[in-house]
Amino acid sequence: MTLIPSVALRDGTTIPQLGFGTWRVGDDEAQAAVETALEVGYRHIDTAALYANEAGIGRALATAGIPREDLYLTTKVWNDRQLEARASLEESLTKLGTDHADLFLIHWPHPEADAYVQCWRDLIALREEGLTTSIGVCNFNAPHLQRLLIEVGEIPVVNQIELHPSFTQKDLEALDREHGIVTEAWAPIGRAADLDASGVRTVADRVDRTPAQVVLRWHLQQGRVVFPKSVHPERIRENFGVTDFELDEHDLALIDAVDAGNRLGPDPDLM
Ligand SMILES: NC(=O)c1ccc[n+]([C@@H]2O[C@H](COP(=O)([O-])OP(=O)(O)OC[C@H]3O[C@@H](n4cnc5c(N)ncnc54)[C@H](OP(=O)(O)O)[C@@H]3O)[C@@H](O)[C@H]2O)c1
């Protein structure tokens, strides 16, 4: 089986650097997609209460019968339940068919509700109780992270942010690094929109790999955690084939140069 590298988190745990994304995988298609991913070798699954596919993922996990300690499961609390994180996590765990998450994340800061600081305190309590091993956030910008540090005194081990060749968020990634926060890149291939960029094509031609593979490799070599999503078995397999080649500095720079400030998702301050 392909060996997927792990990244160390500040809380003493490790996370597989390559996982399987499940946004827009319907509950009815989640079982087949996750079964395929597990067959291919993925062991890290990224979901969220919002995705409404945790039951389907749970069916795939039950069918596959892989020991729980060999899996890495991430789920998230949605904006309207920031003050009900415990109930949200318990419901997610029931659907997934497990007694704990490996990583539980605040999905968006949703500053309008002004509840993410309390939510973070509640996540700390859930971790203390063992309902989740690690805790983190998604889509947190500098001021959101700053509030957790000042008001709670603990910052996340993971910040899951939109990051792909045409939207690299270098300043936010640098801030994460400065605080010992691992950056997870969502939409790692820019939802396929970045695959036609000329820098990506040039590198793919040089190393004789697909555009998706070189973009995922570009992330891995820079220490990010990624979980590309696909419901197509051939792409699920393709996206896993990223650990047996290397990009050189020039390749990395060519993909870096694709950056165009091209945000695909919402601005976290407005979501
Ligand atoms: N925390 C957050 O706020 C947040 C937000 C968004 C996403 N996420 C997480 O991040 C994961 C990944 O992000 P994402 O799903 O938005 O985008 P993505 O993984 O960058 O791209 C997925 C899209 O690319 C297509 N695709 C996948 N592999 C391909 C390949 N090898 N060649 C060509 N096209 C390919 C997929 O189509 P097919 O399925 O048809 O193959 C799908 O349309 C999500 O699934 C979710 O788990 C988190």
Side-chain angles (χ1 to χ4, degrees):
M1 174 164 298
T2 313
L3 198 60
I4 297 300
S6 285
V7 169
L9 302 183
R10 226 178 49 250
D11 61 10
T13 65
T14 59
I15 181 170
Q17 212 182 349
L18 176 66
F20 184 65
T22 65
W23 185 56
R24 288 196 167 154
V25 178
D27 197 56
D28 52 340
E29 49 184 3
Q31 181 172 354
V34 173
E35 279 176 10
T36 302
L38 294 172
E39 273 165 34
V40 165
Y42 295 79
R43 291 294 179 267
H44 166 184
I45 313 290
D46 183 87
T47 184
L50 179 78
Y51 303 169
N53 58 20
E54 292 166 305
I57 293 171
R59 287 192 292 277
L61 299 177
T63 306
I66 293 167
R68 177 64 185 87
E69 61 271 23
D70 293 342
L71 296 168
Y72 193 97
L73 304 178
T74 298
T75 192
K76 316 182 187 99
V77 57
W78 186 241
N79 300 348
D80 62 357
R81 302 200 76 190
Q82 285 188 342
L83 296 177
E84 299 167 22
R86 169 182 299 277
S88 174
L89 178 57
E90 284 174 349
E91 287 162 26
S92 291
L93 296 180
T94 300
K95 289 177 187 161
L96 289 166
T98 184
D99 62 358
H100 71 283
D102 295 282
L103 178 61
F104 189 43
L105 303 174
I106 302 178
H107 207 146
W108 290 85
H110 191 40
E112 189 188 305
D114 195 20
Y116 66 81
V117 174
Q118 183 56 45
C119 187
W120 183 241
R121 290 195 180 96
D122 294 343
L123 260 57
I124 291 172
L126 293 168
R127 182 193 58 200
E128 303 303 312
E129 288 175 49
L131 288 175
T132 180
T133 305
S134 297
I135 52 174
V137 297
C138 311
N139 304 302
F140 271 44
N141 288 336
H144 313 128
L145 293 169
Q146 203 67 33
R147 274 195 73 189
L148 300 188
L149 188 59
I150 291 168
E151 296 182 38
V152 186
E154 177 176 338
I155 47 167
V157 293
V158 158
N159 191 11
Q160 184 179 121
I161 60 173
E162 179 179 346
L163 201 165
H164 43 89
S166 69
F167 190 64
T168 59
Q169 301 222 64
K170 282 198 189 317
D171 289 350
L172 185 52
E173 189 181 27
L175 183 80
D176 282 351
R177 195 174 305 115
E178 199 179 301
H179 288 283
I181 300 170
V182 168
T183 299
E184 294 191 334
W186 66 252
I189 58 170
R191 298 189 178 141
D194 287 356
L195 302 182
D196 283 329
S198 76
V200 171
R201 290 267 162 196
T202 302
V203 175
D205 288 346
R206 189 189 81 74
V207 298
D208 198 20
R209 294 290 177 142
T210 69
Q213 287 174 326
V214 298
V215 170
L216 294 169
R217 184 72 211 171
W218 168 79
H219 285 293
L220 297 186
Q221 284 186 215
Q222 292 173 95
R224 297 173 206 125
V225 173
V226 286
F227 22 81
K229 170 265 177 186
S230 178
V231 292
H232 293 100
E234 66 284 4
R235 287 178 175 169
I236 294 173
R237 197 171 296 279
E238 173 188 338
N239 295 342
F240 198 70
V242 294
T243 56
D244 59 348
F245 68 101
E246 285 274 337
L247 302 181
D248 65 23
E249 290 301 319
H250 183 60
D251 298 327
L252 297 176
L254 278 174
I255 301 178
D256 274 336
V258 171
D259 194 8
N262 182 24
R263 191 193 281 281
L264 299 173
D267 180 334
D269 277 318
L270 307 175
M271 173 71 175

